[in-house]
Amino acid sequence: MAKWGEGDPRWIVEERADATNVNNWHWTERDATNWSSDKLKSLLVGLSVENEEGKCEVTEVSKLEGEASINNRKGKLIFFYEWNLKATWTGKSNAGVKYKGTIEVPNLSDENDMEDLDISVSLNKDEPDTPLTNLMKTEGAEKIREALGNYVGSLKTEFTQGMILPTANGVAKTQTTSQSKAKQDKTRISSSGSTTAPVNTGVKIPTCKFSMRETFLTSPADLYRVFLNQEMVQAFTHAPATVDGERGGKFRLLDGNVFGEFTELVPDEKIVMKWRYNNWPCEHYATISMSFLDRSNETELKVECRGVPDSEEERTKEGWKRYYFEAIKQTFGYGARLF
């Protein structure tokens, strides 16, 4: 059965299990349409730009037509996506006047580079002219292009988690993933031609490492206890939390948005943990190492982060500053100096 049209370079033929699969290859196809629809909306809605004239924001994705899928064929992942989308933007001038317009992207496709996307921004016909239209056509369009690029990147990393991996020796291995994601596989045809350990040639997640330092007006022992005591964690996060402050103990906080496991504990000196946001690729954790340094009447906290997805670097830094550093200082009175 041919897909996507004969003559198309993405053309793939799906074979029955008893067909002439002489090389013992494995392939799957996963439908990414629903996931893509949700991802595109989450990336676009709320996107904003502003200047001295006022502020504009994408408030709604009003039309999203198309499809997306990933095929694992003969040791290669083939990505297909084609979207025609329309969104609504609203603007508000510094004088308080409100405006409304539309954004159209008719050619978000695997055949087009991000630079070649047609991003059309217009002001609704019944609206008076405003400099905010130009703001959306320039800075707004670039932010939209960046968001759509993030979608493509996530499709190639985040969504591929759990697909059957192509291997050179004919053994298919499934990545660790949740049952709900595994059910999204539309086709899974395989045969057991060898028992040799497979060579993993799946998609790797680009990651980064960085470090942060913060000073708290308290002792290392008191600050160390803040991270391991469930009641204290609930106090500075202002939400229910589960914290098992022992080596191998699990934690979950901020309404389940952050969770992980303590892997090394040196009392009053060091905490090492597996740590992740709940929307990171399945089973992917960063390694967070915290060192508590005694600086006479204060404590310097050094936080080293490794394995953070590239696209999550800034969000992770800001999250630690806001939900850990600043929240702990405000809750327990450990000072307000930031650097």
Side-chain angles (χ1 to χ4, degrees), residues 124-185:
N124 287 356
K125 292 182 179 180
D126 56 345
E127 299 283 348
D129 288 340
T130 171
L132 294 179
T133 306
N134 188 57
L135 173 64
M136 277 301 296
K137 286 183 175 181
T138 53
E139 295 181 32
E142 284 309 304
K143 276 205 168 183
I144 291 166
R145 194 183 307 276
E146 181 181 347
L148 297 178
N150 288 339
Y151 155 70
V152 174
S154 295
L155 178 67
K156 294 181 178 181
T157 55
E158 192 176 312
F159 189 77
T160 53
Q161 300 304 298
M163 290 192 73
I164 293 180
L165 295 176
T167 64
N169 57 18
V171 178
K173 180 180 178 182
T174 304
Q175 291 177 305
T176 303
T177 186
S178 63
Q179 291 182 353
S180 61
K181 283 192 175 184
K183 289 179 181 178
Q184 295 176 25
D185 288 349

Side-chain angles (χ1 to χ4, degrees), residues 64-106:
L64 192 55
E65 298 176 346
E67 60 180 324
S69 63
I70 302 173
N71 282 263
N72 184 337
R73 173 70 172 170
K74 292 189 176 181
K76 183 179 181 180
L77 290 177
I78 301 173
F79 299 88
F80 168 75
Y81 55 93
E82 190 167 11
W83 295 100
N84 179 2
L85 67 89
K86 186 175 181 180
T88 300
W89 67 271
T90 59
K92 186 176 181 181
S93 70
N94 289 332
V97 181
K98 295 181 179 180
Y99 303 89
K100 194 171 184 178
T102 59
I103 304 159
E104 293 186 72
V105 183

Side-chain angles (χ1 to χ4, degrees), residues 36-55:
S36 294
S37 177
D38 292 340
K39 190 69 173 180
L40 285 165
K41 290 176 182 177
S42 70
L43 288 169
L44 292 171
V45 174
L47 186 151
S48 64
V49 290
E50 60 182 307
N51 62 10
E52 66 277 0
E53 299 290 343
K55 181 179 180 180

Side-chain angles (χ1 to χ4, degrees), residues 12 16 21 39 42 58 60 69 77 92 99 114 124 141 151 168 174 184 227-228 252 258 263 273 284 286 308 314 326:
I12 293 175
R16 291 165 44 212
N21 189 13
K39 190 69 173 180
S42 70
V58 178
E60 179 189 14
S69 63
L77 290 177
K92 186 176 181 181
Y99 303 89
M114 280 298 124
N124 287 356
Y151 155 70
T174 304
Q184 295 176 25
F227 290 94
L228 301 179
R252 181 176 292 269
V258 169
T263 58
M273 54 187 171
H284 180 82
V308 175
E314 289 306 314
E326 294 177 8

Side-chain angles (χ1 to χ4, degrees), residues 108-128:
L108 176 59
S109 165
D110 55 285
E111 294 185 329
N112 297 320
D113 293 332
M114 280 298 124
E115 306 84 61
D116 298 328
L117 283 185
D118 295 327
I119 301 176
S120 175
V121 176
S122 60
L123 188 67
N124 287 356
K125 292 182 179 180
D126 56 345
E127 299 283 348

